[in-house]
Amino acid sequence: MDKKTEILGIRFDDISADDAAESIFCASRQRSNMPCTVFTPNALISMSCYDDAELLRMINSATFILPDGTGVVSAAKRQRNQILQRVTGIDTAGAVMAKLARVGGSV
């Protein structure tokens, strides 16, 4: 994923929900010693990162950072950045697990 939108120092992936689920699914199927990490910061977590450099560093180290919250999407628009859509963690996890189940994969 190349397109990022930065809000309060967090580098959010600018990706649709369907593309996020597919990308995470593909990353999880790769045989690698590197874990695939996914964070879904909402506005509250984003504000916490503003005051906590270690939390910000940890979130920005993730493989995927998805905008989980209308506050994040609204903040992007106010900054004249366009995030495609809100991508909730629970919906993304469900979609990835469904894809894994179809191929006999696991989390």
Side-chain angles (χ1 to χ4, degrees):
M1 252 175 300
D2 296 323
K3 193 164 183 202
K4 303 274 188 179
T5 295
E6 187 170 316
I7 300 168
L8 294 174
I10 301 172
R11 294 184 304 270
F12 288 94
D13 292 299
D14 188 3
I15 189 169
S16 71
D18 290 340
D19 287 345
E22 183 64 24
S23 295
I24 294 166
F25 169 74
C26 290
S28 72
R29 302 291 294 160
Q30 294 177 356
R31 302 281 184 222
S32 172
N33 291 333
M34 296 299 296
C36 174
T37 55
V38 181
F39 288 117
T40 59
N42 59 18
L44 182 60
I45 294 169
S46 298
M47 288 302 297
S48 295
C49 288
Y50 186 74
D51 295 323
D52 187 338
E54 181 60 18
L55 179 60
L56 176 63
R57 185 202 61 74
M58 182 177 58
I59 287 176
N60 277 334
S61 71
T63 311
F64 300 94
I65 305 171
L66 307 177
D68 187 350
T70 56
V72 173
V73 174
S74 294
K77 288 179 182 175
R78 279 194 290 282
Q79 292 180 355
R80 302 226 189 307
N81 292 318
Q82 185 64 37
I83 288 180
L84 290 175
Q85 68 184 95
R86 176 180 178 219
V87 182
T88 65
I90 192 69
D91 293 338
T92 302
V96 172
M97 286 189 261
K99 289 174 182 291
L100 287 168
R102 283 194 289 276
V103 298
S106 64
V107 178

